[in-house]
Amino acid sequence: MPTDTRSLEQSLASLNVESRRVAPCKVADAVAAFAADPAVAVHLDRDNASLPDSVTVDPTPVELKDATTGVTPAAFAVADYGSVVLPTTAAGSELVSLHVDRHVAVLDAADVVSDMESAFERFGRDISNRYGSAVLATGPSATADMGALVKGAHGPSEVRVVIVED
Amino acid sequence: MSKADRLREIMDEEGDAVHANTQSFNRGRYDSVADLEDYEALKEEARTIKEDAIERLPELIDRLEETVEGNGGTLYLADDVADANRYIREVVGEESAKTVVKSKSMTSEELDVNDALATDGHEVVETDLGEWVLQVADEAPSHIVAPAIHKSREAIAELLNEHFDSDEPLETAEELTTFARETLGERISEADVGMTGANFIAADTGTMALVTSEGNARKSIAATDTHVAIAGVEKVIPSIEDLQPFVELIGRSGTGQDITSYISLLTPPVKTPTINFNDDETPLSALDDDDREFHLVLIDNGRMAMRNDDDLRETLYCIRCSACSNVCANFQQVGGHAFGGETYSGGIATGWEAGVEGTDVAGEFNDLCTGCSRCVDACPVKIDIPWINTVVRDRVNRGKAGKIDFLVDGLTPDDEAGNPPLQKRLFGNFETVAKLGSALAPLSNWLADTTVSKRMMDRFLGIDARRDLPEFKRETLTEWCTDRDSTIQNPRRQAVLYPDLYTNHVQIERGKAAIRVLETLGVDVVVPTAPSSGRAPLSQGMVETARDHAERVADSLDPFIEEGRDIVVIEPSDLAMFEREYEQLLDLATQERLADESYEIMEYVFGLLENGADAAALCEGAGEHVAYHSHCQQRTLGLEGHTVAVLEHCGFDVWTSDVECCGMAGSFGYKSDYYDVSMAAGDELRRQFHEKDTQNRTVVASGTSCLEQLDSLLERHPTHPIELLVD
């Protein structure tokens, strides 16, 4: 665990990941502000929040291939590291968060754990019976293999997080 | 080509890029681990998990087989390379896969699986950018984490522009990355099989963790319906909760990132629908994942035998983070093409190559480990990497069947059953050489310094003619002390100054200075005759000879400990023997007793001053500017700060170098094979001592080798810091 307890927003900011904390009714606005067109998404599975009309929910593979932004829910986040946990789903969450240049994660404020120890306790409880596979994603994809650090290797070069506060 | 020529060629071609990148990773590691609240406890936890997992490995593999198969996958336990490749060829063959996309995996390099699949007409495409560059260049990785670390951006651009005949020449790292993503993206979408490694596999859920940054492993798995994961059996850990310390340590220890972009926790087959990117009708949620297959290929290939080998077992705790490569002064110069075997590189590679390929392969590069021990603190699972290197060197020596050399056998009363090479026996028995040297001084020094002698030594002993040999003093420190009675009334403490080989025969002045300082501070000092520590034979892999030294040292110092004397040691590499290596050479109680009562000279002075001794009696620094180079093994023991504190306490203005090792490292820098590597490592030290703020400072260093190296690098003559404290 890092020495200073940091808020999720502080950690995200240090990774150059913009985030917004909004009420459920403002999720559509926040996603619209973060998304660059064309944007696609998987269902958020929330009764009280929706996605903006400009976002294609449940896209075809071609729509995904042409998209700039992908919006997916996150299962939880780790404040110390600014990591978001992206479950692998039959709806194709893994594809939508990966085959785009900008990923927007939508997260419930109640689902923020402070440190990695809490995160792995949660994985221990949930990984088998809830999602099976998940990615602990921290900032954009990156590589230093081409002689200098480049953001956006095979995956997104930008990440945004919408934190939903009930 | 001679070994020296080969090393020089690699350094010329790859040294600059390797040097810049490894040092940047190494600095990043220091910064990143400093942010951890309890780094040491986290390492201890990681170590404990690995110890337990390797102990229970057969049971964990059985459990994993159940969970993987319960999840709908297959586990295949392969005995060796041929067995693993046969199975993988079968799986890929059944898919009639044209293209296999692969993410980075050292274990797959161990198998040469790409070649095995190519014989059946499958094309394997590396999707990690570094591995892909090497595939295009037809080169081997030079680093276990950053495989193309030896290539500059310019060299990569030239390679890709030529290979792909680009209309618009690629130039920047961004352009190169974009080109690679697009080219590889197409290959990934057309592929049928995705191949990955696995950093850790939890037996309780069958979940594997993949530590990555680019996203190519995620894509390779999502885009193909057959996933083949290749891992050594040692990657199995009991539970998913056990991943936590490793996730926090692996990125920090390797490239200095707090965490890598993606830690994929995969319990395959994954639920992601399989897609065709030309499908413009079916929404993702209507596609299915029914045809996904998962094959976990666990590879023994010598590992189960390593598990039963008391000295190699620890290698299996390795999480392949690369900290031991990045921190290593020699690796920083030569990289993994020199400091590596068939597959693995860096300090821990000796363990891997000895276990997987055999002692001979490990022996080809193992001498590049000088035992400086800087990797010991860097390793996130606390593997005693220098010890593994020592043991393998010993095994290499023992395996050398050759004629017994009567000359050296006469000179060297060692305990070696095999036939270590002449040069190793000479350096290993340095105590005998030093005794003769002193007895014959100054004639011996004069003889050693002649051109003829130097040529002979280069030719027959491999001692580089460009080095000046240590100058032996006719009167040893113990002889100087024989007629000297301590005059301390009511001493504050009673101590033994251990007459290490170098202080006794070469660096007599630092010994005299130490005695004067201790007496000034009210300590009653005796300097008995005592055997040398065994550092010299140990560094040549002559373990039994070193053990004999250790036993005799313990016997000779024990009566003094019995009468309540502290043991004070000037040479840090000898103190490190007492504190670290004697754990392997003596029974635990004897080693602990000696280690508990032993102190580095400046640590001891620090303790005296902290407990009320009067610094005013010592020489006053009066603001004198000092540049200090600590000693690698001293830093590993956490004893650098005491010297700085004492000098500052006495009024000196102290600047400290931060190079990991001076490059001399005992006999290493004297050897003709390694002279250039040693000087290249030393060059870093030279640069640091020629900065604006350091160029005029008085130079002090703690270790004999460091003093010899600095003496050859600088115009200024360096001394031991204790010598600053006497008038």
Side-chain angles (χ1 to χ4, degrees):
Chain A
M1 181 173 76
T3 36
D4 301 320
T5 312
R6 292 195 294 181
S7 72
L8 176 63
E9 279 103 325
Q10 283 172 315
S11 296
L12 290 171
S14 71
L15 298 161
N16 289 322
V17 173
E18 280 183 52
S19 64
R20 264 186 207 195
R21 195 172 276 263
V22 296
C25 61
K26 297 287 182 193
V27 167
D29 290 349
V31 169
F34 279 159
D37 290 339
V40 298
V42 294
H43 281 291
L44 291 186
D45 286 331
R46 307 178 66 99
D47 298 334
N48 57 0
S50 60
L51 288 167
D53 294 340
S54 57
V55 174
T56 306
V57 178
D58 199 12
T60 65
V62 167
E63 284 168 325
L64 171 60
K65 192 171 72 176
D66 294 339
T68 300
T69 304
V71 184
T72 72
F76 68 97
V78 189
D80 277 350
Y81 283 85
S83 310
V84 292
V85 174
L86 310 173
T88 299
T89 66
S93 193
E94 170 75 345
L95 298 165
V96 171
S97 66
L98 186 62
H99 284 267
V100 287
D101 194 46
R102 182 181 298 180
H103 174 231
V104 179
V106 181
L107 169 78
D108 204 307
D111 288 321
V112 178
V113 301
S114 62
D115 56 23
M116 224 30 112
E117 203 173 334
S118 318
F120 276 90
E121 278 168 20
R122 191 155 168 164
F123 281 128
R125 282 201 310 274
D126 291 352
I127 197 109
S128 294
N129 48 26
R130 293 198 48 191
Y131 27 81
S133 302
V135 177
L136 184 69
T138 312
S141 106
T143 186
D145 285 348
M146 292 299 183
L149 182 68
V150 177
K151 300 263 171 80
H154 287 275
S157 66
E158 292 180 302
V159 175
R160 306 274 190 269
V161 178
V162 178
I163 305 164
V164 188
E165 201 146 48
D166 274 311
Chain B
M1 196 189 284
S2 76
K3 189 178 263 181
D5 287 344
R6 190 172 152 262
L7 288 169
R8 204 177 299 118
E9 189 178 285
I10 289 176
M11 282 197 289
D12 285 346
E13 284 173 16
E14 305 178 352
D16 288 347
V18 167
H19 189 235
N21 289 321
T22 48
Q23 289 215 336
S24 152
F25 291 158
N26 195 40
R27 275 193 299 272
R29 174 177 61 83
Y30 281 115
D31 292 344
S32 181
V33 301
D35 286 341
L36 283 169
E37 191 176 14
D38 207 343
Y39 176 46
E40 291 303 321
L42 210 53
K43 288 198 287 185
E44 193 60 49
E45 196 186 337
R47 164 93 188 185
T48 305
I49 291 167
K50 278 289 188 181
E51 278 179 359
D52 170 59
I54 297 303
E55 173 74 30
R56 291 165 49 202
L57 193 53
E59 162 206 333
L60 291 179
I61 292 173
D62 287 346
R63 173 87 184 111
L64 180 64
E65 186 167 18
E66 285 168 27
T67 51
V68 165
E69 293 188 354
N71 294 334
T74 309
L75 184 147
Y76 185 75
L77 186 59
D79 291 336
D80 54 23
V81 170
D83 191 16
N85 282 337
R86 184 193 52 73
Y87 181 80
I88 295 165
R89 284 167 68 176
E90 253 174 49
V91 170
V92 175
E94 275 168 25
E95 292 299 307
S96 6
K98 202 165 147 273
T99 311
V100 177
V101 280
K102 177 158 154 276
S103 71
K104 189 178 140 35
S105 147
M106 288 308 294
T107 313
S108 75
E109 306 268 347
E110 186 180 320
L111 299 182
D112 284 324
V113 69
N114 296 10
D115 293 345
L117 288 170
T119 56
D120 297 337
H122 309 290
E123 188 192 4
V124 183
V125 180
E126 297 285 352
T127 60
D128 172 85
L129 266 46
E131 287 287 353
W132 179 64
V133 165
L134 295 187
Q135 192 174 34
V136 172
D138 193 21
E139 288 178 24
S142 60
H143 187 273
I144 60 171
V145 169
I149 199 174
H150 58 287
K151 284 196 151 355
S152 65
R153 178 182 56 80
E154 292 80 0
I156 296 169
E158 196 182 315
L159 171 78
L160 296 185
N161 286 328
E162 193 181 308
H163 187 86
F164 292 96
D165 201 13
S166 320
D167 299 334
E168 283 278 305
L170 305 163
E171 196 182 322
T172 65
E174 284 79 9
E175 288 167 0
L176 292 163
T177 302
T178 305
F179 176 74
R181 174 176 57 230
E182 284 166 3
T183 309
L184 290 170
E186 286 169 23
R187 307 309 310 270
I188 293 171
S189 9
E190 77 196 25
D192 309 292
V193 174
M195 206 184 293
T196 70
N199 294 82
F200 306 94
I201 312 167
D204 65 341
T205 60
T207 306
M208 53 182 262
L210 270 182
V211 180
T212 69
S213 273
E214 293 181 358
N216 59 307
R218 292 177 65 190
K219 276 190 174 168
S220 299
I221 295 163
T224 54
D225 56 20
T226 300
H227 176 190
V228 179
I230 302 167
V233 287
E234 82 283 4
K235 298 290 179 70
V236 185
I237 56 173
S239 75
I240 194 150
E241 286 91 340
D242 291 327
L243 283 168
Q244 177 243 328
F246 300 109
V247 165
E248 296 205 65
L249 287 168
I250 193 166
R252 296 179 197 269
S253 302
T255 52
Q257 296 162 273
D258 294 353
I259 189 167
T260 60
S261 301
Y262 304 127
I263 311 278
S264 291
L265 301 172
L266 303 162
T267 316
V270 296
K271 289 186 221 155
T272 301
T274 48
I275 61 170
N276 169 357
F277 271 107
N278 297 320
D279 180 348
D280 62 357
E281 285 175 9
T282 326
L284 297 180
S285 67
L287 294 162
D288 61 44
D289 62 344
D290 292 349
D291 45 3
R292 282 195 179 273
E293 268 184 46
F294 173 61
H295 300 265
L296 174 60
V297 185
L298 281 187
I299 294 151
D300 176 350
N301 203 27
R303 289 164 172 82
M304 286 307 202
M306 291 165 79
R307 186 172 163 267
N308 292 323
D309 182 324
D310 286 342
D311 293 309
L312 291 188
R313 184 183 306 120
E314 277 193 295
T315 307
L316 299 172
Y317 307 160
C318 169
I319 61 169
R320 314 254 175 95
C321 71
S322 81
C324 60
S325 298
N326 304 329
V327 73
C328 173
N330 285 346
F331 190 94
Q332 289 176 0
Q333 301 307 322
V334 301
H337 286 159
F339 200 153
E342 294 288 327
T343 308
Y344 301 98
S345 59
I348 194 63
T350 290
W352 281 120
E353 295 287 335
V356 167
E357 300 287 341
T359 310
D360 288 351
V361 173
E364 282 168 25
F365 62 92
N366 161 267
D367 281 351
L368 280 162
C369 169
T370 65
C372 89
S373 80
R374 293 305 299 139
C375 51
V376 169
D377 289 342
C379 176
V381 280
K382 305 176 70 158
I383 300 173
D384 192 345
I385 296 167
W387 179 252
I388 292 172
N389 276 283
T390 302
V391 168
V392 170
R393 195 167 299 156
D394 184 85
R395 291 180 187 178
V396 171
N397 289 342
R398 278 163 203 282
K400 290 248 191 311
K403 59 178 176 27
I404 293 173
D405 197 290
F406 67 92
L407 170 72
V408 177
D409 250 23
L411 261 178
T412 57
D414 61 39
D415 287 336
E416 300 309 303
N419 283 298
L422 188 56
Q423 181 198 58
K424 287 197 165 148
R425 296 190 93 164
L426 177 90
F427 282 121
N429 290 287
F430 194 68
E431 182 174 4
T432 313
V433 177
K435 280 181 180 164
L436 271 172
S438 281
L440 301 175
L443 177 70
S444 52
N445 297 319
W446 175 77
L447 265 178
D449 203 31
T450 62
T451 315
V452 175
S453 302
K454 285 191 162 189
R455 274 198 203 136
M456 298 272 281
M457 284 191 285
D458 204 341
R459 180 155 172 210
F460 293 110
L461 294 168
I463 297 173
D464 200 281
R466 288 162 289 188
R467 285 285 185 195
D468 290 325
L469 293 181
E471 200 176 301
F472 299 110
K473 298 291 187 292
R474 178 90 190 183
E475 186 185 46
T476 63
L477 185 69
T478 45
E479 285 164 1
W480 182 75
C481 290
T482 314
D483 306 323
R484 222 177 147 272
D485 281 324
S486 181
T487 53
I488 308 298
Q489 306 290 321
N490 303 318
R492 175 184 291 276
R493 307 280 303 181
Q494 292 187 301
V496 169
L497 182 73
Y498 172 67
D500 68 79
L501 195 53
Y502 311 97
T503 306
N504 200 30
H505 292 271
V506 183
Q507 304 265 344
I508 318 281
E509 292 311 312
R510 70 179 190 182
K512 293 179 184 172
I515 293 166
R516 290 192 181 112
V517 166
L518 293 177
E519 289 182 348
T520 305
L521 297 175
V523 179
D524 176 87
V525 188
V526 294
V527 185
T529 52
S532 63
S533 71
R535 168 64 69 191
L538 195 80
S539 72
Q540 307 306 313
M542 294 159 64
V543 174
E544 283 318 305
T545 306
R547 195 186 309 279
D548 172 64
H549 281 251
E551 284 164 358
R552 289 187 289 117
V553 167
D555 285 348
S556 69
L557 295 180
D558 202 54
F560 295 101
I561 296 175
E562 196 71 36
E563 64 178 69
R565 286 188 183 265
D566 308 315
I567 311 293
V568 179
V569 183
I570 300 178
E571 176 55 37
S573 61
D574 282 350
L575 181 71
M577 283 294 280
F578 297 180
E579 302 273 349
R580 281 182 25 80
E581 282 85 358
Y582 277 15
E583 281 178 13
Q584 312 281 358
L585 301 174
L586 295 175
D587 69 86
L588 202 60
T590 309
Q591 184 271 332
E592 276 180 0
R593 189 171 141 95
L594 178 58
D596 287 351
E597 300 306 323
S598 297
Y599 304 87
E600 191 265 338
I601 176 72
M602 296 299 269
E603 176 196 19
Y604 195 68
V605 171
F606 176 85
L608 293 167
L609 297 178
E610 285 291 292
N611 287 288
D614 187 8
L618 300 174
C619 177
E620 219 180 292
E624 182 180 347
H625 284 209
V626 170
Y628 172 52
H629 173 65
S630 181
H631 178 276
C632 44
Q633 286 154 343
Q634 181 184 8
R635 290 178 66 201
T636 298
L637 296 175
L639 296 175
E640 175 186 43
H642 298 81
T643 300
V644 177
V646 167
L647 292 178
E648 287 180 347
H649 188 95
C650 293
F652 292 90
D653 177 295
V654 187
W655 173 93
T656 311
S657 81
D658 66 1
V659 301
E660 298 290 354
C661 176
C662 70
M664 183 64 118
S667 61
F668 181 81
Y670 288 103
K671 296 178 178 174
S672 310
D673 284 346
Y674 303 117
Y675 174 81
D676 291 312
V677 179
S678 164
M679 290 307 276
D683 204 45
E684 185 71 22
L685 202 52
R686 188 210 319 261
R687 268 207 304 277
Q688 291 201 359
F689 280 80
H690 279 108
E691 300 285 329
K692 192 164 164 245
D693 181 41
T694 58
Q695 59 187 350
N696 295 316
R697 286 176 176 259
T698 304
V699 178
V700 286
S702 301
T704 302
S705 304
C706 325
L707 288 163
E708 299 278 352
Q709 178 80 318
L710 282 164
D711 209 19
S712 66
L713 294 168
L714 305 176
E715 302 287 310
R716 288 162 284 174
H717 180 65
T719 55
H720 190 281
I722 197 76
E723 294 175 67
L724 293 181
L725 303 184
V726 290
D727 284 315

